[in-house]
C-alpha cells in the first residue's frame, strides 16, 4: 500500500480555555467531524485523516517541536514566549487579545517608569523582559503560571503582565491596563519538517480554513437600482469578478448581486442609498473559494 495513504495529520488544540471552543469550531466549519469527547486526550476525525490532541496551550509548542503533533492551534503570545523550533503557518483571526501591563486601579500611574525596580507577576517572563529592556526599565519578574491577576491584591507584586481580552478579569480584580506589550491572536503552527503526505493533508486543510475565513470576511449583497445608476453602483461594488445584473419586472430597474467586505459595507451603504439603491440585503456566505 502507498505510504501516503496511511498518513494522518495530528493537530494539537487547547483542551480547555479561551481558544478551545473556537478551535473545535474551525475544524467543524472546515467540514471535519471530530467526536470531541469531554475528557479525552485524543480523538479522530471520521471524514478526514486527522487526529486531534487536547493539550494545555502552553505545552503545544513543545509537542509540535518534538513531532508528537504535526500542527497546533494556539495564541501567538504563547508561541513567542516558548520560542520552540516551530513555524508559524497561518494567522487564524480569532481569540484576538493583547498582552498588557496592569496595576491596581487606585495607583497613580505616571508612565512605564512606574515599574522601575518594582515587581511584576506574569506567565510571560521572556516577552516581558525584552519589552522592559527596550524601554530601559529594570524590574523583578515573578513568573507564575496561573491566576496572575490576584498577585497585586495579595501583595505578591506591584503589577502584572497578562492577557487581556474583554478586560473583565482586570475589572473584577480591581486592576487597570497601563501598557500594551503585544497584540495576539490564534495562529496555526507546524513542525519544521513535515513529510510529503502530511504536507499534502496540511495544504488541503489550509485551503478549507482560508475558504472559511474569506467567507467570514465577506458578505453577499443584493440590491435594486435604477438602470441609469448601475454603472456608479458597480464602481462601489467590484465583487469577486464583476457583479451580476438581472433585469427586474419593474421597467427601468435592475437587481445587482455582488460580494462585499464586511468592514467596507458600512462605508458604502450611504453612497449606495444616495445613488437610489433600494431593498438592500446583506447575506452571510458559508464558504468562499478564491
Ligand atoms: C487570559 C488571562 C485572563 C483572561 C483575560 O487567560 O490570564 O485570565 O484570559 O480575559 P478577559 O480580559 O476577557 O477577562 P488565557 O485564556 O490566556 O488562559 P491560560 O493562561 O489559562 O491559558
Ligand atoms: Zn495557558
Amino acid at each position: 500500500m502507498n505510504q501516503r495513504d496511511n498518513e494522518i495529520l495530528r493537530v494539537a488544540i487547547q483542551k480547555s480555555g479561551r481558544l478551545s471552543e473556537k478551535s473545535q469550531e474551525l475544524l467543524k466549519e472546515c467540514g471535519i467531524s471530530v467526536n470531541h469527547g469531554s475528557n479525552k486526550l485524543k480523538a479522530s476525525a471520521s471524514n478526514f485523516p486527522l487526529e486531534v490532541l487536547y493539550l494545555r496551550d502552553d505545552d503545544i509548542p513543545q509537542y509540535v517541536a518534538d513531532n508528537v503533533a504535526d500542527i497546533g492551534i494556539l495564541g501567538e503570545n504563547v508561541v513567542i514566549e516558548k520560542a520552540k523550533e516551530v513555524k508559524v503557518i497561518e494567522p487564524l483571526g480569532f481569540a484576538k487579545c493583547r498582552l498588557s501591563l496592569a496595576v491596581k486601579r487606585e495607583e497613580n500611574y505616571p508612565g512605564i517608569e512606574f515599574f522601575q525596580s518594582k515587581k511584576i507577576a506574569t506567565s510571560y517572563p521572556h516577552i516581558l523582559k525584552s519589552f522592559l529592556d527596550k524601554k530601559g526599565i529594570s524590574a523583578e519578574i515573578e513568573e507564575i503560571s496561573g491566576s496572575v491577576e490576584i498577585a497585586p491584591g495579595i501583595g505578591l507584586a506591584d503589577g502584572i503582565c497578562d492577557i487581556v481580552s474583554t478586560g473583565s478579569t482586570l475589572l473584577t480584580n480591581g486592576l487597570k491596563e497601563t501598557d500594551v506589550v503585544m497584540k495576539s491572536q490564534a495562529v496555526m503552527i507546524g513542525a519544521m519538517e513535515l513529510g510529503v503526505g502530511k504536507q499534502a493533508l496540511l495544504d488541503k486543510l489550509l485551503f478549507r480554513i482560508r475558504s472559511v475565513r474569506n467567507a467570514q470576511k465577506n458578505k453577499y449583497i443584493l440590491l435594486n437600482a435604477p438602470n441609469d445608476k448601475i454603472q456608479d453602483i458597480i464602481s462601489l461594488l467590484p465583487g469577486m469578478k464583476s457583479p451580476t445584473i438581472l433585469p427586474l419586472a419593474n421597467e427601468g430597474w435592475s437587481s445587482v448581486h455582488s460580494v462585499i467586505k464586511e468592514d467596507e459595507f458600512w462605508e458604502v451603504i450611504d453612497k449606495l442609498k444616495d445613488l437610489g439603491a433600494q431593498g438592500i440585503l446583506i447575506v452571510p456566505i458559508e464558504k468562499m473559494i478564491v
Side-chain angles (χ1 to χ4, degrees), residues 14 56-58:
Q14 192 188 33
R56 282 190 54 217
D57 59 345
D58 310 50

Side-chain angles (χ1 to χ4, degrees), residues 182-288:
M182 72 170 279
K183 292 203 168 149
S184 181
Q185 61 170 300
V187 294
M188 179 186 283
I189 58 166
M192 299 306 279
E193 287 293 332
L194 285 179
V196 183
K198 285 186 190 280
Q199 185 63 48
L201 291 174
L202 174 58
D203 290 345
K204 209 166 156 179
L205 178 63
L206 281 174
F207 175 79
R208 295 190 188 185
I209 288 176
R210 287 172 190 149
S211 302
V212 168
R213 291 201 59 214
N214 279 328
Q216 286 164 349
K217 282 185 269 181
N218 290 278
K219 299 281 171 218
Y220 197 71
I221 178 168
L222 303 97
L223 58 86
N224 296 332
N227 287 344
D228 59 337
K229 290 292 191 303
I230 294 282
Q231 281 315 317
D232 296 332
I233 286 179
I234 288 177
S235 67
L236 291 173
L237 299 174
M240 286 205 283
K241 270 220 180 85
S242 76
T244 306
I245 315 286
L246 302 166
L248 288 183
N250 191 347
E251 184 94 21
W253 283 74
S254 297
S255 166
V256 179
H257 298 198
S258 190
V259 171
I260 187 168
K261 289 211 164 54
E262 167 134 58
D263 47 5
E264 283 169 10
F265 168 72
W266 295 109
E267 285 166 32
V268 300
I269 180 75
D270 289 330
K271 292 181 196 155
L272 291 172
K273 287 202 319 214
D274 289 346
L275 287 168
Q278 294 181 0
I280 303 171
L281 292 181
I282 306 293
V283 184
I285 300 171
E286 193 176 320
K287 305 279 187 301
M288 185 167 154

Side-chain angles (χ1 to χ4, degrees), residues 14 17-18 57-58 77 124 145 149 162-170:
Q14 192 188 33
R18 236 165 10 94
D57 59 345
D58 310 50
N77 50 304
Y124 301 92
S145 62
E149 61 278 1
D162 200 13
I163 292 299
V164 181
S165 169
T166 60
S168 75
T169 302
L170 292 187

